[in-house]
């Protein structure tokens, strides 16, 4: 990732914590679409955490970008495959596809930066794209900005005592199954994706 190292480490912590929570959520879900969604979110969180490590500490090139691109290309295709016994939540599947393709795009931008002879020092250069197509980057930034705003608005009623109405379940529901935490994790990953695209 290109940008101040402190921002990179904050993103690493945020995305790793989110990925860890999603894994615990996946383990608590019965087999089905819910577990599949949680697994996709765990993969996304940890992938973002690894990609956000400042390049001054860990430069994954030349092997890292192709590996990222391959893994998340498979994740994007998998998100579009039909799910047995129903298709799950179409909105989540579409969002996972967009997120996985955004990861592929960032990995390819890293590859272009390598082959193009750019030397990344881990410092952001104002007004300069380290890699990527500005129009596509802008479209992805707009998508994730809207997603973050919508996720934040969806989370607000849950902090005002409306958790049960939103499907929190009966008393004693484990913390890994609480819907407000799920929304908070999705919000965190949306913010992280926006920040990573902004520093591309």
């Amino acid at each position: 990732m290109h940008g101040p190292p402190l921002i990179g480490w904050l993103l690493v912590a945020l995305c790793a914590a989110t990925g860890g929570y999603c894994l615990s959520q996946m383990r608590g879900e019965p087999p089905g679409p819910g577990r599949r969604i949680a697994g996709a979110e765990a993969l996304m969180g940890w992938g973002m955490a690894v990609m956000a490590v400042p390049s001054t500490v860990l430069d994954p090139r030349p092997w890292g970008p192709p590996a990222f691109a391959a893994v998340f290309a498979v994740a994007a295709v998998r998100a579009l495959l039909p799910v047995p016994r129903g298709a799950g939540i179409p909105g989540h599947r579409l969002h996972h596809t967009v997120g996985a393709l955004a990861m592929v795009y960032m990995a390819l931008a890293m590859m272009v930066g390598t082959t193009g002879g750019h030397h990344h020092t881990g410092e952001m250069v104002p007004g300069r794209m380290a890699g990527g197509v500005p129009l596509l980057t802008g479209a992805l930034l707009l998508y994730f900005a809207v997603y973050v705003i919508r996720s934040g608005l969806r989370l607000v009623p849950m902090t005002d005592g409306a958790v049960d109405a939103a499907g929190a379940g009966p008393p004693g529901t484990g913390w890994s199954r609480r819907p407000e935490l799920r929304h908070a994790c999705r919000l965190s990953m949306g913010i992280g994706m926006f920040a990573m695209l902004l520093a591309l």
Side-chain angles (χ1 to χ4, degrees), residues 102-191:
M103 293 290 283
V104 172
Y105 171 65
M106 288 189 287
L108 293 176
M110 291 170 64
M111 293 172 61
V112 170
T114 301
T115 58
H118 297 298
H119 299 286
H120 304 303
T121 62
E123 297 180 359
M124 189 182 303
V125 180
R128 174 184 173 187
M129 293 291 293
V133 181
L135 184 61
L136 182 53
T137 302
L140 288 171
L141 283 170
L142 179 61
Y143 172 84
F144 284 103
V146 172
Y147 179 81
V148 165
I149 293 171
R150 288 187 60 190
S151 298
L153 292 176
R154 187 176 302 171
L155 188 61
V156 170
M158 295 188 176
T159 62
D160 292 335
V163 176
D164 289 336
T173 299
W175 64 274
S176 66
R177 305 289 299 277
R178 296 183 66 86
E180 71 272 23
L181 291 179
R182 294 181 183 183
H183 284 301
C185 281
R186 290 166 185 159
L187 174 63
S188 299
M189 281 196 286
I191 293 172

Side-chain angles (χ1 to χ4, degrees), residues 35-107:
R35 176 175 288 187
R36 183 173 179 173
I37 289 172
E41 290 174 345
L43 175 65
M44 182 68 67
W46 281 337
M48 291 169 62
V50 173
M51 191 175 282
V53 174
S55 59
T56 53
V57 175
L58 175 64
D59 190 348
R61 297 168 297 172
W63 54 267
F68 274 119
V71 168
F72 285 99
V74 171
V77 172
R78 189 170 184 268
L80 292 175
L81 294 177
V83 179
R85 291 173 297 171
I89 305 174
H92 286 315
R93 296 172 63 211
L94 179 60
H95 175 68
H96 290 158
T97 302
V98 174
L101 290 176
M103 293 290 283
V104 172
Y105 171 65
M106 288 189 287

